[in-house]
Amino acid sequence: MGAVSRASVTLEQVARAAGVSRATASRVLSGNPAVSAEARLAVERAASELGYVLNRAARSLAAGQSAPTGRCQSIGIVILEPTSEFFGDPKFSRLLTGIGEELSARSLQLVLFAPHSPADVSRLENYLAGGHVDAVMVLAHRDDSAHSRIRTQGIPVVFGTQPPDNGGSSFVDVDNRAGGVLATEHLIEQGRRHIAHIAGPSHVRETHDRLQGFRQATWQAGLRSDMVEHAESDRDGGEMAMARLLARADRIDAVFAATDAMAVGALWALQVVGRRVPEDVAVIGFDDSPLAAATRPALSSVREPFEEMGREMTRAVVNLLSDRDQRPRQVRLSPELAPRESTVSATA
Amino acid sequence: MGAVSRASVTLEQVARAAGVSRATASRVLSGNPAVSAEARLAVERAASELGYVLNRAARSLAAGQSAPTGRCQSIGIVILEPTSEFFGDPKFSRLLTGIGEELSARSLQLVLFAPHSPADVSRLENYLAGGHVDAVMVLAHRDDSAHSRIRTQGIPVVFGTQPPDNGGSSFVDVDNRAGGVLATEHLIEQGRRHIAHIAGPSHVRETHDRLQGFRQATWQAGLRSDMVEHAESDRDGGEMAMARLLARADRIDAVFAATDAMAVGALWALQVVGRRVPEDVAVIGFDDSPLAAATRPALSSVREPFEEMGREMTRAVVNLLSDRDQRPRQVRLSPELAPRESTVSATA
DNA sequence: CTGAAAGCGCTTACAG
DNA sequence: CTGAAAGCGCTTACAG
């Protein structure tokens, strides 16, 4: 009804209008049961008529829950990757699902930030300094300097990927090396002995770690671990790398590609030369993207536990919030195998 | 270095340690230049040694910028649609691009909220009441009650779709009726006279408005305006509707489908019966989705100005923020034609 | 350039 | 169940 007057109405005025003391009015507004029904009614009516609205700053000051690290019961998540890419990525929604669950269970508010420019970032830093969130989780590509590009003004932070400066920061990350081992051992278990790897660009940490996993697993099994071709992490890259591998060694009976997209490219290259998958060559990818289930034959892959990662990040943040003087928590989550037709022959 | 002590250090203590008054210490911390270099140094040193951290609540109380409607220079955007769908939707990133631009230009902080459950929504309402943002923009499907599900506690709101209760609220929306006219007139200009429409479910406002546009344009051109089939807004729906239309009237030389997905379905149905597009039948969709450019022939479509919509929403919000007692701003943006091969014969 | 002091709007023992 | 009063941590005229 009508324009709310801009000048703020104080508790004092409400109390006066209701014919009670400020203390009683305060009790009504904060839900203290020790108030007569009569007084309660008078205060509520006066408050609504005057358009009273609580001054949070004053309340938190008075209630002594005021420190900047104090409770506004909300956690920020800062997305330092190019927004458009990230929002479209299933990784993001899975991560957010996990975070959302865990936050909901704790009645914490989720606040999302997606700064684009350096100016956005510094504006965000100011906002964070304003104490509008209790802590933040930072999601960034691990291979850029984004981590160091944001200063969180002393509020607790948990990273979604291991920051370059291992140092004292908390992070939750996927163990890509373990994933590489998993994929390779799966191929070995299927009886494959001539296993090749299509690796991503070597400066990308994820794919580099997957390569390490491949090397470790082949080495331990006493197999050749040098059947490796690097390529761009897309289909074309995968296709070309597969062709190079076939030229190098004709006996290849399995391929582990560092991403599903590359694996799809490998599938193409194999089809071109008439190799059957999985009968002649088993193929496994990584990421368990929607792509994987859509190919023919369906592509085996390695699935990162993003929901769990989201949950784990949330737990880490909550922990940081409760006991302050605690060691940073550094977690590396193991991926899981998602076996499909491309590695498991029906004739086995 | 070392653990920051939890108990908050106050300005009083810093002042004492620095050998100055609280007033002087305050001046140093708030960047007031009227302080001697000496005093400044002493205060800064004391503050950092003691691990002093400003109590924002106290500052804002004292500074009198405390009302919940006060300035924190940030705007919230509330996403009331199922998150997973929405984040993947190009509409979202386009909207966000527009909003981001306009907000950056005004040095405003963007804060994103994506409540899932009713509990999330009421938690968000509390957060909003906490004055952490100055205003919000609400993005929701227009055909559910979402709009009324959120109470914004008196802070200014702009909707991204027209709320059911036209009332006094500000909104920016796409003019779907105008889009329907645009698509239909385009077909007419191409010389088509037997134009059919594949409409979406009639309870969905967008597609309903597009139907109105179709009716208006055909009527005005003196053409039949009753060649309409309703269907689900996906490919299958479009395919079946197209088949029904062909059964009803064989002379159809153009089809306007209410969504690109339906248009793709129509393309299939036409191919099955051997009608060439665009030679025999021209086809136009709506949404200008990535799909449109990917079909063969490439699909003509109608493009909603989502970037502009984002900018316009931002301007509306900023306006609401500056003069308060202003009439709600209600904007309907016109879509644009995105003509491609499916309506324009090379032989024209 | 500096300090004593009032005051921001609320909460909360404390005494009744 | 209620009120008078102290106090949360800071800012800001005001007087010097």
Side-chain angles (χ1 to χ4, degrees), chain B residues 128-299:
Chain B
L128 295 180
H132 297 291
V133 298
D134 294 328
V136 299
M137 311 188 215
V138 175
L139 262 23
H141 274 130
R142 55 162 65 57
D143 50 311
D144 67 10
S145 56
H147 289 104
S148 48
R149 283 207 317 260
I150 186 158
R151 336 227 115 262
T152 49
Q153 309 283 148
I155 73 176
V157 192
V158 171
F159 292 96
T161 50
Q162 178 172 359
D165 58 331
N166 252 312
S169 32
S170 291
F171 66 81
V172 179
D173 205 343
V174 169
D175 190 338
N176 281 290
R177 184 190 177 104
V181 170
L182 198 64
T184 311
E185 288 184 342
H186 170 64
L187 295 173
I188 295 171
E189 278 161 23
Q190 300 298 312
R192 311 290 170 159
R193 318 258 59 184
H194 304 280
I195 307 177
H197 180 52
I198 301 178
S202 48
H203 64 274
V204 177
R205 177 96 156 258
E206 273 97 339
T207 52
H208 176 264
D209 290 352
R210 292 167 196 177
L211 168 60
Q212 296 303 319
F214 168 77
R215 289 232 164 91
Q216 175 181 328
T218 41
W219 175 266
Q220 285 182 356
L223 304 176
R224 282 185 65 176
S225 59
D226 65 340
M227 295 290 299
V228 174
E229 284 287 335
H230 283 272
E232 287 305 304
S233 311
D234 54 15
R235 295 186 202 195
D236 287 349
E239 186 172 14
M240 294 188 292
M242 187 72 242
R244 290 198 298 276
L245 283 168
L246 288 170
R248 272 178 60 181
D250 203 48
R251 297 174 60 204
I252 289 171
D253 62 8
V255 183
F256 160 36
T259 69
D260 283 347
M262 295 174 104
V264 170
L267 248 28
W268 286 352
L270 288 166
Q271 194 184 341
V272 166
V273 300
R275 302 285 184 103
R276 292 167 307 163
V277 174
E279 294 81 352
D280 302 328
V281 182
V283 178
I284 187 167
F286 205 113
D287 289 337
D288 196 34
S289 66
L291 222 64
T295 59
R296 180 147 313 185
L299 185 67

Side-chain angles (χ1 to χ4, degrees), chain A residues 12 42 49 55 96 175 181 207-208 210-211 214 250 258 276 280 315:
Chain A
E12 179 69 50
E49 271 176 7
N55 182 322
L96 215 59
D175 191 337
V181 169
T207 52
H208 177 264
R210 292 168 196 178
L211 167 59
F214 168 77
D250 203 49
R276 292 168 306 164
D280 302 329
R315 284 182 216 121

Side-chain angles (χ1 to χ4, degrees), chain A residues 11 22 26-27 52 58-59 62:
Chain A
L11 228 208
R22 217 187 327 147
S26 170
R27 289 186 189 107
Y52 172 74
R59 161 176 286 187

Side-chain angles (χ1 to χ4, degrees), chain B residues 98-117:
Chain B
I99 294 173
E101 277 176 16
E102 203 67 26
L103 245 27
S104 286
R106 293 179 156 73
S107 297
L108 292 168
Q109 169 66 38
L110 171 60
V111 183
L112 229 51
F113 304 103
H116 289 280
S117 62

Side-chain angles (χ1 to χ4, degrees), chain A residues 291-308:
Chain A
L291 223 64
T295 60
R296 178 145 313 184
L299 185 67
S300 295
S301 193
V302 176
R303 182 176 174 86
E304 295 105 327
F306 290 129
E307 290 86 354
E308 178 57 21

